[in-house]
Amino acid sequence: MTASHTLDGEAVDWLHAGERLSVRFGLNLDDADARVRNQGAQVRMFANASLPQVAPDRLFPNVVAATRRAALSVQIRARSKSALGFGFRLRTEAEPVVERLYAVGRPDADGFRSVTVRRFQHEASLIVVDLMRARLGRTHNLAALQQLWVCDIVAWDVHQFLDPVTARVYTEDNPRFPRTRREAPSDVLRGTLRAAGGDAPRVNAGVIWADDDAEQTFERVQVQREDDPDEKPIGSLRVHFFVVDSD
């Protein structure tokens, strides 16, 4: 069995990409299959983490460390310059978890909208973290599994969309929700770096995996005009996944 390694980093409540995009990983407590597998599970997030024993010179800006086979929920909060909302995607280097979904609900007092994802967009499966070495025994393809070690999260502005329920088209000049006075971001949204309590966790590399059934459904809107997520993102960040040693 491969030995686990100490993860050093700053425990955080949110992972940030500038001041306009924040992401939080937690346990999925909404889906029935997730609640079963998440009994006794944990998820922790770290900024600027390292593995001092094996890679002291490598920095992992955003880390999610979870119990093996934990089912995750992913909360994305973004403040768009558009009055309509934002689109977002989550992709591993191998495949998308979410290709294109949209947050076009009412913003909060700080101008942020929030959306939570608990499943893969194109299959109703839970978002699960598993040990890379456990999956290696089945595939014998380390290069392919390393593509599932990371996830890139990107958000971008939406400028026009059709609501298929009401058949109304919303634009910057005709927003779904009138603009309110923009406040300064709250402390919760900015987040505060905190020293990790207790001993540093011992971890191994993890992978994102689809497993079991998810019950979440997505609101459908027809987006007609939006920014290019690669050329004009609200923000983007890359997350590495580790599995916490439970021994």
Side-chain angles (χ1 to χ4, degrees):
M1 179 179 292
T2 304
S4 55
H5 307 290
T6 300
L7 177 71
D8 284 346
E10 299 169 289
V12 295
D13 294 323
W14 291 84
L15 302 173
H16 299 285
E19 296 182 352
R20 296 175 57 207
L21 173 64
S22 301
V23 180
R24 179 163 61 186
F25 289 80
L27 292 175
N28 178 347
L29 301 178
D30 291 280
D31 295 300
D33 286 347
R35 288 195 296 270
V36 172
R37 68 167 58 229
N38 283 342
Q39 293 180 20
Q42 62 173 304
V43 176
R44 299 172 67 185
M45 296 182 297
F46 297 88
N48 301 320
S50 65
L51 301 171
Q53 296 169 320
V54 293
D57 298 326
R58 182 170 184 182
L59 187 69
F60 299 90
N62 304 291
V63 163
V64 172
T67 307
R68 184 182 176 188
R69 303 189 75 246
L72 303 182
S73 68
V74 189
Q75 185 179 3
I76 297 114
R77 301 183 83 167
R79 186 173 62 192
S80 58
K81 293 181 179 178
S82 163
L84 300 183
F86 66 90
F88 66 96
R89 70 185 184 206
L90 292 79
R91 288 180 178 172
T92 68
E93 291 184 336
E95 62 181 354
V97 177
V98 167
E99 184 59 46
R100 281 178 185 264
L101 288 176
Y102 297 92
V104 292
R106 187 183 299 275
D108 65 17
D110 295 326
F112 283 84
R113 289 175 171 87
S114 178
V115 62
T116 299
V117 176
R118 310 190 312 268
R119 53 165 281 189
F120 283 68
Q121 181 175 359
H122 298 301
E123 58 177 306
S125 298
L126 302 175
I127 302 169
V128 173
V129 175
D130 203 355
L131 269 175
M132 185 182 293
R133 71 166 182 261
R135 293 292 173 177
L136 182 61
R138 303 181 185 186
T139 68
H140 303 287
N141 190 338
L142 179 60
L145 286 175
Q146 286 179 332
Q147 293 180 319
L148 305 177
W149 186 23
V150 298
C151 184
D152 294 306
I153 302 168
V154 180
W156 61 90
D157 286 332
V158 170
H159 299 288
Q160 182 173 312
F161 71 89
L162 167 69
D163 183 339
V165 175
T166 65
R168 294 180 179 176
V169 174
Y170 296 101
T171 66
E172 297 274 12
D173 295 329
N174 179 37
R176 191 182 195 181
F177 304 103
R179 281 189 182 273
T180 57
R181 183 172 63 90
R182 177 170 293 177
E183 305 290 345
S186 68
D187 290 339
V188 173
L189 293 179
R190 285 202 303 271
T192 303
L193 295 180
R194 302 179 305 174
D199 295 333
R202 298 188 64 81
V203 298
N204 278 290
V207 292
I208 285 290
W209 209 260
D211 206 352
D212 282 344
D213 296 323
E215 303 155 18
Q216 183 178 25
T217 59
F218 301 121
E219 177 188 9
R220 296 186 180 276
V221 296
Q222 181 181 332
V223 174
Q224 300 170 325
R225 192 161 61 88
E226 61 189 324
D227 285 345
D228 186 312
D230 297 313
E231 295 184 1
K232 198 175 180 182
I234 292 174
S236 63
L237 57 83
R238 167 165 285 201
V239 177
H240 282 80
F241 294 91
F242 290 90
V243 171
V244 178
D245 189 352
S246 59
D247 296 337

